Amino acid sequence: MLHDFKTAQPIEFYKHFLKENVRPDGRELLKFRDALLNIGSINTARGSALVRLGHTMVICGISAELAEPKATTPDKGFFVPNVDLPPSCSNKYRPGPPSDDAQILSQFVLDVATNSEVLKLENLCIATKKLAWVIYADIQCISHDGNLKDAIIAALYAALRNTKLPTVEYNEETADVQVKQDQLFQLPIQTCPVSSTFALFQDEILLADPTNEEEEISNGTITIVVNSEGKLCMVSKPGGAEMKEEKLKVCIRTALKRHAEVLSLVTTALGEDEPVR
């Protein structure tokens, strides 16, 4: 009977629970789902991480290659993210070229990386105008049950922290390049960006870490990205209802608290005693 009610009238079904300040899955309104993190999931990658957020699961693999810097940025390397949403992760997606959702998420990852400066491109330059690292972040969704953004950014950060590159020596006179695979160094990471997403239900009720079902019946979502210094790096609100200022403040406060939880999750998985900021 309850399932039939949910199918026939999903909004009324949610109202029945939300009036008691609880969601159908038992969570409080601003409660995030339990997160699981596995580091080094891909043996063939320079660094990798798998994040599970409820029934949403994504995996990120980091690869790297050497290239000549752009003429416009001769002292910088490159960061190239790509998000893949295969049909196996959700019936929303079909085989073929990258979906609009995948392209939007890839741009979101690039914007977060740029705005937070998690990876300073100057640190990827080996020889100005001559040689630099290109860092590829390939992110695949294994299972999509809402809030891909938060899972993706957590997986990206953890994978970058897990990344080691070989030492490279460049001879300015001969232009010879020597890659020392037996001398690895940790990819320098500047800060920890954490994404926190909220759905707005009936223009009034905020739901943290929305499931796919909650996203579909909401009036829109908003994503807040903060860094280790507690600074706001990015606010992403792709359409939907306008959000009142007091609601936005709640989202920001909750996002700041969420940062500590995610950072602790990553440092624990890496076996570190103190968070690296």
Side-chain angles (χ1 to χ4, degrees), residues 27-154:
R27 284 187 290 158
E28 297 177 0
L29 305 189
L30 295 179
K31 175 76 173 177
F32 288 78
R33 289 172 289 182
D34 291 337
L36 297 175
L37 170 63
N38 182 270
I39 300 286
S41 312
I42 307 174
N43 294 332
T44 56
R46 289 291 180 185
S48 62
L50 182 147
V51 168
R52 180 173 178 176
L53 197 58
H55 294 299
T56 291
M57 189 185 305
V58 300
I59 189 167
C60 176
I62 304 295
S63 58
E65 67 178 17
L66 297 169
E68 183 178 319
K70 292 181 181 178
T72 53
T73 52
D75 61 342
K76 294 183 179 181
F78 307 86
F79 173 67
V80 184
N82 179 63
V83 176
D84 183 26
L85 302 175
S88 58
C89 79
S90 171
N91 57 16
K92 291 182 178 182
Y93 307 116
R94 299 288 179 266
S99 65
D100 290 343
D101 285 355
Q103 295 180 61
I104 290 170
L105 285 169
S106 294
Q107 185 62 50
F108 171 76
V109 174
L110 181 59
D111 291 343
V112 169
T114 301
N115 294 343
S116 69
E117 293 189 322
V118 59
L119 192 63
K120 284 198 173 182
L121 299 185
E122 293 89 345
N123 292 337
L124 301 179
C125 183
I126 298 167
T128 302
K129 298 182 181 181
K130 302 296 183 181
L131 196 65
W133 282 108
V134 183
I135 303 297
Y136 296 98
D138 293 305
I139 304 163
Q140 185 174 67
C141 177
I142 299 172
S143 177
H144 180 8
D145 185 29
N147 195 12
L148 284 177
K149 288 181 177 179
D150 292 7
I152 284 172
I153 297 304

Side-chain angles (χ1 to χ4, degrees), residues 23 27 29-32 197-199 206-210 214 254:
R23 293 148 82 168
R27 284 187 290 158
L29 305 189
L30 295 179
K31 175 76 173 177
F32 288 78
T197 298
F198 306 84
L206 286 172
L207 303 176
D209 181 19
E214 291 169 342
T254 306

Side-chain angles (χ1 to χ4, degrees), residues 12 29 68 109 117 127 185 231 264 273:
E12 293 302 319
L29 305 189
E68 183 178 319
V109 174
E117 293 189 322
F185 69 94
K231 294 181 180 178
S264 176
D273 294 328

